[in-house]
Amino acid sequence: MAKDLTQMPFASWLEEILGAMAKEEPSAIVICMRCKDGNVMTAYYGCTPEEKLNMACQMQVDAMWNVILANANQIVRRAEEMEQDEEEQP
């Protein structure tokens, strides 16, 4: 028997996404999820290989941006140290 999606922890997020989908009328959709067993499941609707690549690149950019934001202080500190090292060199 299928579980009631409205009772799942991601229900409000999914409702928001479905609302955006109704508004935007997408021609291509990708769903990617980590399963309980650790595997990753992907599902595609109307995606050409080029669209899959484009969407994968967008996910990679999002992930890189999250890493940069999470480490911004450390990145700035290291950049300042590198700048000081360059100034100290003859």
Side-chain angles (χ1 to χ4, degrees):
M1 175 178 255
K3 293 183 179 180
D4 182 358
L5 286 177
T6 64
Q7 300 304 310
M8 302 302 284
F10 52 80
S12 62
W13 173 85
L14 186 57
E15 183 177 13
E16 181 181 331
I17 297 302
L18 292 173
M21 289 171 64
K23 178 182 175 188
E24 298 295 331
E25 299 179 14
S27 60
I29 301 169
V30 174
I31 295 175
C32 183
M33 64 180 175
R34 168 94 44 213
C35 301
K36 282 193 291 186
D37 64 5
N39 288 322
V40 174
M41 180 184 157
T42 53
Y44 307 96
Y45 170 81
C47 290
T48 64
E50 293 83 5
E51 288 169 320
K52 289 178 182 180
L53 182 59
N54 185 313
M55 292 184 198
C57 288
Q58 183 61 49
M59 288 177 66
Q60 187 173 19
V61 167
D62 286 346
M64 289 177 65
W65 183 244
N66 291 151
V67 169
I68 289 168
L69 290 178
N71 295 288
N73 291 336
Q74 188 175 7
I75 293 168
V76 169
R77 188 171 41 253
R78 182 63 183 129
E80 290 169 348
E81 290 170 0
M82 291 171 67
E83 188 175 314
Q84 284 178 342
D85 290 346
E86 288 176 6
E87 291 173 356
E88 294 172 359
Q89 291 181 358

